[in-house]
Amino acid sequence: MQKIGQIGNDQVEYRKYSTTTILKFFLCSVLGIFMFFLPLTINGKNSIPLDHLVGWIRTTFSSLIVYYILVIVILGALYPFYKKTWNSSLIEAAISFLKVFGAIAAVLVVFNIGPDWLMAEDMGPYWYNALLTPIGVLVPIGAIFLALLVGYGLLEFIGILMQPIMRPFWKTPGRSAVDAVASFVGSYSIGLLITNRIFKEGKYTAKEAAIIATGFSTVSATFMIVVANTLDLMSIWNLYFWTTFFVTFLVTAITVRIWPIRNMSNDYYENKPGDPEQIVSKNRLKHAWNEGLTTAENAKSIWKNIIENVKDGIVMAMGILPTIMSIGLIGLLLVNNTPIFDYLAYIFYPLTYLLQIAEPMLAAKAAVINLIDMFLPSLVILEAPLETRFIIAVLSISAILFFSALIPCILSTEIPINVGQMIVIWFIRTVLTLIIVTPIVYLLL
């Protein structure tokens, strides 16, 4: 039996769905939610099941993983030349040659034949094992469960429920709530994989995809624990976590309303007709149910969806890993062996001084270094006062954009945003974060 009415108003179209469709919606969605969003404690480690699975794979196949990562890095360095995109722009050419440098460095590290500066414990081996390896394993494995999370109706169901929150505050569809949570509890690389997939399906505009990539793609909550441990903030973990959460999303709500994001295109992928989220005003839950089950009914087979997602994940890993290796190493060399960041610190010094942050020059230097990598600022302010450590710990997450990983991740997607725009957004986010978090810290600590 069907009851046909005006969708989104007083009446909703009711449909009878098959048991197979309902089971597909529930089972795929529940398994996806379980893998991405429900932390478990296993062997004393509390994290999401996907992270536990990746950790088990890395431990069980550790010797093979080293060479798997190396193959991905080498293929990633060759890919722009194979696709003949390496000279499509000056930025693309620079990144393509940086990928080649990253691949060479990776080969030297794996076979332990590099120069002393590269083989130092906090240089090549650290970058290869602490950054390349987890991302290189996580992205393709995560892509398997990503197919279940976003391909069988959950995205549409949650999207309609979250419309009243997401659109007024962040000018994104309700379905972007899945991205935001996936990044915060899982990984920015998984969040970007979701964003890129949904953008290519025509469910985000270019502007919406850019907002999500630069505003929601934080490092995971588990990595926030690493920062908090490093800066001796675990005794006030809840205060740190919720302050960071609040500041990050408040800053995003501001940045979407100013240049350059405000002026970005509202076109869909490749200027094709999009599949915009329908605005619903009434009967929200019933309409969400219909949309979710209709998507599950029309979805591709699970195996086909998984294969497609894994392929996207491997291509993304190929784009990310060699760039992380090269830019990360260059950043570490500059931080450890040159005074360049001491000079660049003067960009933020007037602000940190006016805000009366303790050791303002040190805080300003940490803020600048954050553009290179989100963890390096923590190493700069280890001996700083508690307030300064707290402010920089929040800034490390809230600034979001950094060259060692996230910016290359975004560049490896189809999202039309360039390096210059990302640097401007990083600068704005840094300034806003310092202005917002500093009074909060002095009120609460």
Side-chain angles (χ1 to χ4, degrees), residues 80-112:
F81 299 94
Y82 168 74
K83 295 288 286 185
K84 297 180 181 176
T85 59
W86 69 271
N87 58 351
S88 58
S89 69
L90 187 60
I91 292 292
E92 185 63 35
I95 290 175
S96 296
F97 284 107
L98 281 170
K99 287 179 179 179
V100 172
F101 170 69
I104 293 170
V107 170
L108 296 178
V109 167
V110 168
F111 294 103
N112 198 26

Side-chain angles (χ1 to χ4, degrees), residues 53-353:
L53 175 61
V54 168
W56 177 80
I57 291 171
R58 288 179 60 192
T59 302
T60 306
F61 304 102
S62 56
S63 57
L64 292 175
I65 292 295
V66 172
Y67 297 103
Y68 154 74
I69 296 296
L70 184 61
V71 169
I72 293 293
V73 171
I74 293 171
L75 290 177
L78 296 175
Y79 195 66
F81 299 94
Y82 168 74
K83 295 288 286 185
K84 297 180 181 176
T85 59
W86 69 271
N87 58 351
S88 58
S89 69
L90 187 60
I91 292 292
E92 185 63 35
I95 290 175
S96 296
F97 284 107
L98 281 170
K99 287 179 179 179
V100 172
F101 170 69
I104 293 170
V107 170
L108 296 178
V109 167
V110 168
F111 294 103
N112 198 26
I113 55 176
D116 290 343
W117 68 266
L118 178 62
M119 300 310 300
E121 195 60 35
D122 60 348
M123 290 293 291
Y126 165 76
W127 225 245
Y128 195 92
N129 296 316
L131 284 176
L132 268 68
T133 301
I135 292 175
V137 177
L138 176 65
V139 172
I141 298 298
I144 296 172
F145 300 100
L146 176 65
L148 306 180
L149 185 71
V150 303
Y152 295 93
L154 180 66
L155 192 71
E156 288 71 19
F157 180 80
I158 296 295
I160 289 173
L161 295 182
M162 292 297 293
Q163 274 181 6
I165 298 172
M166 301 306 294
R167 285 199 177 276
F169 284 97
W170 296 289
K171 298 185 180 296
T172 58
R175 54 175 67 124
S176 64
V178 176
D179 281 17
V181 176
S183 295
F184 221 83
V185 303
S187 162
Y188 55 81
S189 53
I190 290 298
L192 283 170
L193 196 62
I194 294 173
T195 306
N196 193 50
R197 176 68 185 272
I198 298 170
F199 172 59
K200 289 168 68 177
E201 289 175 353
K203 295 178 180 178
Y204 291 152
T205 65
K207 182 178 181 178
E208 289 166 349
I211 290 170
I212 296 160
T214 63
F216 297 150
S217 299
T218 61
V219 296
S220 67
T222 51
F223 203 85
M224 287 174 64
I225 295 174
V226 175
V227 173
N229 266 317
T230 302
L231 295 176
D232 195 21
L233 299 176
M234 285 307 295
S235 61
I236 50 173
W237 163 252
N238 277 319
L239 178 62
Y240 169 57
F241 178 87
W242 291 111
T243 301
T244 303
F245 186 91
F246 170 76
V247 171
T248 300
F249 288 95
L250 177 57
V251 168
T252 299
I254 297 170
T255 57
V256 302
R257 290 166 167 81
I258 59 178
W259 181 86
I261 291 178
R262 183 186 63 188
N263 293 30
M264 288 183 178
S265 169
N266 282 307
D267 292 335
Y268 288 91
Y269 179 62
E270 294 183 341
N271 293 315
K272 296 176 182 175
D275 180 21
E277 191 172 75
Q278 201 167 19
I279 303 299
V280 177
S281 58
K282 295 181 181 179
N283 290 312
R284 189 173 300 280
L285 183 59
K286 292 178 181 178
H287 188 50
W289 172 256
N290 269 3
E291 284 293 301
L293 288 181
T294 299
T295 300
E297 185 177 59
N298 298 324
K300 300 173 184 175
S301 72
I302 291 177
W303 286 114
K304 187 173 182 180
N305 210 341
I306 287 174
I307 290 169
E308 205 171 279
N309 271 267
V310 170
K311 180 182 175 182
D312 284 349
I314 291 172
V315 170
M316 177 176 276
M318 287 166 51
I320 297 167
L321 298 191
T323 319
I324 291 175
M325 191 68 182
S326 59
I327 293 177
L329 287 175
I330 292 169
L332 282 174
L333 278 174
L334 293 174
V335 170
N336 294 332
N337 299 290
T338 74
I340 185 170
F341 288 101
D342 294 309
Y343 298 131
L344 290 175
Y346 284 99
I347 295 172
F348 293 115
Y349 176 69
L351 180 60
T352 56
Y353 178 80

